[in-house]
C-alpha cells in the first residue's frame, strides 16, 4: 500500500472510537471505578493535583446516547479531517482541543465554586468543528460540499443544542471549539508561509 492510500485510512479516528467504546464497556461492568479515577473535577485536579484527569476524562462517557453521539461525529468528521491533515497532526489537534476544552471547564468550575464532575470527548469533538472552520476560512484548498456557511451553521446548531440541554459542560464545548480553531488556523498560516504565500494551500 502506497503512502497516499495509507493516509486515506482514518486510523487515528478509528482507534479513538474503538478505545472510547472499549472504556465504556469496561465501565458497564466495573461501575463507578473508572469514573472516580478519571472524571474531570476542579477539586480533584486543582487541589489534589490529579492532572491526568484532563486527558482521562476524554475517554469516559455518562451513557449510551452520550457516547453514540460523540463517536458518530468523531468518526465521520474526524475521518474527513484526518485525510486532510495526516494522522499525527490530526491526533495532535484532537488532543489539544480536548485539553483546551477541559482547561476552560476547570476554570469555569473553579470561579463558580462548582464541585461537579464531567466526562466525555465533547470538547475534543467540538475542537474538530473548530479545525474544520479554520480549514474552510483560512486554507486555499476546497473541501467537496463543505462551505464556510455550512460549517458555521453546524457549529451554531451544536452550541445551541448544548446550551439548551440539561447537565451539559458547555465550557468544555466552547473551549474545545476555540482551541481547535486557533490550532487549525495556526497550521494553515504556518503552511501558507512555508509555501511563500502562493499556490493552493492544504494541511497535507
Amino acid at each position: 500500500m502506497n503512502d497516499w492510500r495509507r493516509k486515506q485510512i482514518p486510523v487515528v479516528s478509528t482507534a479513538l472510537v474503538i478505545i472510547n467504546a472499549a472504556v465504556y464497556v469496561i465501565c458497564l461492568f466495573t461501575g463507578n471505578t473508572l469514573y472516580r479515577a478519571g472524571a474531570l473535577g476542579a477539586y480533584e485536579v486543582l487541589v489534589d493535583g490529579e492532572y491526568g484527569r484532563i486527558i482521562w476524562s476524554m475517554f469516559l462517557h455518562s451513557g449510551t446516547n452520550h457516547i453514540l453521539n460523540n463517536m458518530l461525529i468523531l468518526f465521520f468528521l474526524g475521518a474527513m479531517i484526518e485525510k486532510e491533515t495526516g494522522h499525527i497532526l490530526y491526533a495532535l489537534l484532537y488532543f489539544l482541543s480536548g485539553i483546551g476544552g477541559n482547561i476552560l471547564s476547570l476554570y469555569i468550575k473553579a470561579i463558580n465554586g462548582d464541585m461537579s464532575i464531567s466526562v466525555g470527548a465533547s470538547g475534543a469533538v467540538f475542537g474538530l468543528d473548530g479545525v474544520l472552520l479554520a480549514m474552510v476560512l483560512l486554507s486555499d484548498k476546497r473541501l467537496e460540499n463543505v462551505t464556510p456557511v455550512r460549517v458555521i451553521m453546524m457549529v451554531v446548531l451544536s452550541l445551541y443544542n448544548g446550551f439548551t440541554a440539561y447537565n451539559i459542560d458547555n465550557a468544555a464545548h466552547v473551549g474545545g471549539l476555540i482551541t481547535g480553531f486557533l490550532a487549525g488556523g495556526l497550521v494553515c498560516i504556518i503552511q501558507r508561509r512555508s509555501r511563500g504565500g502562493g499556490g493552493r494551500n492544504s494541511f497535507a
Side-chain angles (χ1 to χ4, degrees), residues 26 34 56 69 81 97 99 105 122 134 140 143-144 150 191:
I26 293 172
L34 293 183
W56 310 143
N69 290 337
I81 295 175
S97 297
I99 291 169
S105 174
S122 302
D140 291 334
L143 299 175
E144 186 176 357
R150 289 180 178 179
Q191 292 190 342

Side-chain angles (χ1 to χ4, degrees), residues 95-170:
F95 281 103
L96 279 177
S97 297
I99 291 169
N102 282 345
I103 288 175
L104 182 59
S105 174
L106 285 174
Y107 174 75
I108 298 299
K109 289 176 187 291
I111 64 175
N112 290 328
D114 183 357
M115 293 296 105
S116 67
I117 59 174
S118 55
V119 294
S122 302
V125 171
F126 266 82
L128 298 182
D129 288 338
V131 171
L132 184 62
L133 183 60
M135 290 171 67
V136 298
L137 293 178
L138 302 175
S139 174
D140 291 334
K141 184 173 183 179
R142 297 295 175 255
L143 299 175
E144 186 176 357
N145 297 322
V146 180
T147 66
V149 173
R150 289 180 178 179
V151 177
I152 291 171
M153 289 180 62
M154 178 182 69
V155 169
V156 171
L157 181 60
S158 297
L159 289 173
Y160 174 79
N161 287 335
F163 280 104
T164 56
Y166 173 73
N167 201 28
I168 300 296
D169 190 349
N170 288 294

Side-chain angles (χ1 to χ4, degrees), residues 2 20 24 33 46 53 58 61-62 65 73 80 83 98 106 134 178 189:
N2 59 38
N20 275 277
Y24 183 67
T33 301
L46 301 177
R53 290 174 180 265
M58 294 166 56
H61 290 84
S62 60
N65 288 336
I73 298 172
M80 180 177 66
K83 290 178 183 179
L106 285 174
I178 293 172
I189 293 171

